[in-house]
Amino acid sequence: MKNLVPQILTNDADRFHEAVQELQAYGYREVNLNLGCPSGTVTARKKGAGFLAYPEELNQFLDRIFSENEVCISLKTRIGMKDPEEGFRLLEIYNQYPLSELIIHPRTREEFYKGEPHLDLYAQLSAVSHAPVCYNGNLLTARDYEAFHAAFPQTERVMLGRGVIADPGLIGRLNKQQNEMDLPGTANRDLAAEKKLLREFHAEIFAQYREIFGEDRNAVFHMKELWSYMLQNFEHSEKIGKKIRKASKVTEYLCEVDRLFRECNLRADGPEARGLTMQS
Ligand SMILES: Cc1cc2nc3c(=O)[nH]c(=O)nc-3n(C[C@H](O)[C@H](O)[C@H](O)COP(=O)(O)O)c2cc1C
């Protein structure tokens, strides 16, 4: 059984409480607070990573949500708004509360997704955190995970973002690797099975989008964001990729997607060749 944790994005303790009550009614026993979203429309409203620029207000907010809610609360945080050193003050604040988990994405808001995560800061912050720490940032391939695990064997939890959108089989392969002590990277990959999985993943997401949006144009539009990650898996996909990005009618879109799966092989080589490198 998967443990699904809903996420809340707010800086208002009353609204947080309302959301928690609704979620509890659905049976959820843990919620996550988003202190990491770097989007301008979010940070301008002092939410997501924008809240990190106001540590004393954040402290008061946390004081209220931890005293007013009977639910486990975890945090997803960046290490500051502008300066990675802000992370130390933030950790002091977080350590006052019984977080069920602290997910650290060691970049500032200003860094968005660019450059390398600050692993040096992550090492220092994770060492002093009272809560169990989960690492997030640029674990895009099995090799990235292996390198991280070798450098931080004490970190038992990781969160994957873009890597798993591009390659939904990644988590299954990592689990298999750990169980069977396989070699990391490309040695044991079954590309035909991976392609099948990617195709099923695409079909399921697209079907759900069509149902939720009730309108095919919008569903196709949302699929294009996924393709900006998934296309990097395929060899020689530039031409068909362009057509997928241009398609607006569902028939046209599905025809190009079908062609891509038929004509383009998955890349068997490493992360650099897949374009999803640490510099992304
Ligand atoms: C398109 C997109 C949507 C995202 N939405 C969320 C979100 O709703 N909540 C959240 O905590 N993080 C969100 N993230 C951030 C990821 O969880 C993660 O922190 C980030 O991608 C860095 O990890 P990665 O290098 O493994 O991708 C999003 C990232 C992307 C690219």
Side-chain angles (χ1 to χ4, degrees), residues 7 32-37 48-49 52 74-78 94 101-105 113 134 136 159:
Q7 188 177 61
N32 178 266
L33 174 70
N34 183 331
L35 295 170
C37 181
L52 303 178
S74 57
L75 305 184
K76 160 95 185 294
T77 190
R78 286 188 179 240
Y94 299 156
E101 179 175 78
L102 179 63
I103 306 169
I104 302 179
H105 178 194
Y113 298 108
C134 172
N136 169 242
M159 173 181 174

Side-chain angles (χ1 to χ4, degrees), residues 54-65:
Y54 304 89
E56 303 323 315
E57 272 180 59
L58 174 61
N59 195 4
Q60 285 164 17
F61 169 83
L62 293 176
D63 191 48
R64 278 196 57 194
I65 64 167

